[in-house]
Amino acid sequence: MDYKSTINLPVTDFPMKANLARREPEQLAAWERMGLYAKAQATRTARRSPPFVLHDGPPYANGRIHIGHALNKILKDIVVKSKLMEGQPAPFVPGWDCHGLPIEHQVMKEAGPAARQLDRLEIRRRCRAYAEKFLTIQREEFQRLGCLGDWSHPYFTMEPHYEAAILRALGRCVEAGGVYKAKKPVLWCWHDETALAEAEVEYEDHTSPSIYVKLQIIGFGGESDPTKDIGSPSPFILVWTTTPWTLPANQAVAVHPTEQYVLVELQWNGQNETWILAERLHKTCMEKFGIINYRVVQGPYPGREIQQRYSVYAHPFLFPAARTILTADFITMDQGTGCVHIAPGHGQEDYQLYTYE
């Protein structure tokens, strides 16, 4: 039996071969000629439907698009087209970020060794030219993805009226008291000389040796060293850290305000010394160091009193730099000495404590 003659199939002029490499550009060109985006917006607006506005968080104009750009724009395009099909006006105005280190980094890399000789105005001129080149390239590539939008009227952050709007907005923030100057830890790439976002950092598995460090107390809350009254040498505050590579950036030592601390006198390398550490941890530390003969000569005192009595110590490397003792509630007593090395350039908690204490 001829089964083909028993099937009722529609007759079309669809070709057997899709030939998308040729047909897709033709279809996009047809949309452009007919003004599809503008017509779709106009018909929805005429119906007085509530608008749906999708703001395009702008990409950097610093190179050709990649899979991340495609994912971003295609997902946005799906939302815009679905809202249009639901009968709502869905304006989509694409934009480009034309400022910042990603563009400057590419310009300096292209300049090579001569980059060091460029003045600021020349660098800015080259950055503007670079951004103009790639926003044109990216616009064509985004349109090639089939994304609908007002591609004839995008926004660029380097346009004078856009920059003026930024300055006016900043001025309003300043007037309202919302702007202040302070320090903040920022991830930085030494090789590329640029700041890094959290999402751009990949961590390797790395094990650092934890170390104990004694820091000489050189400043006191009173007029003199309290340990002299008991005939003990000027004390050290003993810290423990699992990140010894951050010690050059040390700015403070933190103790817990209410936990108890003691001063322990002992002999170390043939010298009598006095160490400050947490009462709950001093026996464990002595055992770990193999010290049998020691005695508690002062304390216990709460951490806030330690801070008052022994307020300043010498940096372990940067002599004669002086650093201060602070109190912090995040100090734990499960390991270490109860005295924590603080490097605000290497951690958010350290930064918050050092900046606002």
Side-chain angles (χ1 to χ4, degrees):
M1 177 181 287
D2 182 8
Y3 287 104
K4 180 179 178 180
S5 62
T6 68
I7 302 175
N8 185 18
L9 293 175
V11 177
T12 73
D13 59 356
F14 294 159
M16 291 297 293
K17 184 178 179 182
N19 197 15
L20 294 179
R22 180 177 63 84
R23 296 295 300 276
E24 279 188 359
E26 290 177 353
Q27 185 63 60
L28 295 176
W31 288 358
E32 182 69 23
R33 287 193 302 271
M34 68 183 292
L36 177 63
Y37 170 79
K39 285 184 177 180
Q41 299 295 338
T43 56
R44 272 64 177 177
T45 303
R47 297 174 187 172
R48 299 184 183 278
S49 301
F52 177 87
V53 179
L54 193 156
H55 172 69
D56 183 28
Y60 277 113
N62 69 324
R64 291 188 174 274
I65 68 172
H66 51 66
I67 190 64
H69 291 104
L71 176 64
N72 178 287
K73 282 295 186 293
I74 291 171
L75 290 177
K76 289 176 180 177
D77 188 58
I78 290 172
V79 174
V80 170
K81 287 176 178 172
S82 66
K83 291 300 179 181
L84 286 172
M85 294 174 71
E86 290 174 3
Q88 290 182 261
F92 181 75
V93 180
W96 277 269
D97 188 344
C98 307
H99 295 93
L101 283 171
I103 293 171
E104 182 180 330
H105 171 62
Q106 292 295 334
V107 168
M108 301 299 277
K109 188 163 66 173
E110 283 188 356
R116 300 290 182 185
Q117 309 303 319
L118 299 178
D119 61 35
R120 292 181 180 181
L121 290 179
E122 177 61 18
I123 292 172
R124 291 176 182 174
R125 187 193 66 77
R126 293 192 183 193
C127 286
R128 175 175 286 273
Y130 189 91
E132 287 174 346
K133 170 186 173 182
F134 278 103
L135 64 86
T136 301
I137 291 173
Q138 287 189 9
R139 175 161 47 182
E140 294 172 354
E141 291 174 335
F142 285 138
Q143 289 178 280
R144 183 64 181 83
L145 295 177
C147 299
L148 288 182
D150 192 358
W151 297 105
S152 298
H153 304 93
Y155 70 89
F156 312 129
T157 62
M158 65 181 178
E159 291 179 326
H161 74 272
Y162 195 102
E163 293 176 328
I166 293 173
L167 287 174
R168 284 192 290 269
L170 176 61
R172 289 193 292 271
C173 291
V174 172
E175 288 179 351
V179 177
Y180 65 93
K181 183 177 181 179
K183 294 181 179 180
K184 178 183 178 181
V186 176
L187 294 165
W188 180 264
C189 177
W190 291 97
H191 178 267
D192 292 331
E193 297 183 352
T194 182
L196 300 173
E198 288 282 353
E200 295 175 303
V201 177
E202 297 180 8
Y203 292 93
E204 291 184 357
D205 291 333
H206 174 75
T207 302
S208 295
S210 64
I211 63 172
Y212 293 84
V213 183
K214 57 180 187 176
L215 307 170
Q216 179 74 59
I217 299 293
I218 58 174
F220 308 94
E223 294 182 357
S224 62
D225 180 356
T227 54
K228 289 184 178 179
D229 298 337
I230 55 174
S232 294
S234 294
F236 296 87
I237 188 164
L238 190 66
V239 300
W240 175 74
T241 179
T242 58
T243 56
W245 45 272
T246 66
L247 281 168
N250 173 267
Q251 296 293 322
V253 167
V255 295
H256 195 284
T258 58
E259 288 287 347
Q260 300 295 310
Y261 290 80
V262 294
L263 276 73
V264 176
E265 188 175 10
L266 51 95
Q267 199 169 68
W268 186 258
N269 289 336
Q271 302 290 327
N272 286 338
E273 294 186 359
T274 305
W275 296 351
I276 300 171
L277 65 168
E279 181 186 31
R280 290 167 56 181
L281 295 167
H282 82 278
K283 291 182 180 179
T284 303
C285 287
M286 295 302 113
E287 291 175 3
K288 187 171 293 187
F289 303 150
I291 299 174
I292 300 174
N293 298 319
Y294 66 90
R295 65 189 183 101
V296 175
V297 294
Q298 274 192 0
Y301 303 121
R304 64 171 62 93
E305 192 168 335
I306 291 293
Q307 180 194 25
Q308 294 167 0
R309 286 170 171 255
Y310 308 96
S311 54
V312 180
Y313 66 91
H315 190 280
F317 314 126
L318 306 179
F319 301 109
R323 300 290 185 259
T324 56
I325 296 175
L326 307 174
T327 59
D329 291 330
F330 59 74
I331 308 300
T332 60
M333 295 291 154
D334 53 346
Q335 55 185 336
T337 67
C339 309
V340 175
H341 141 69
I342 300 297
H346 291 280
Q348 189 63 31
E349 277 189 335
D350 290 19
Y351 164 72
Q352 294 286 346
L353 174 68
Y354 183 73
T355 302
Y356 301 111
E357 176 70 11

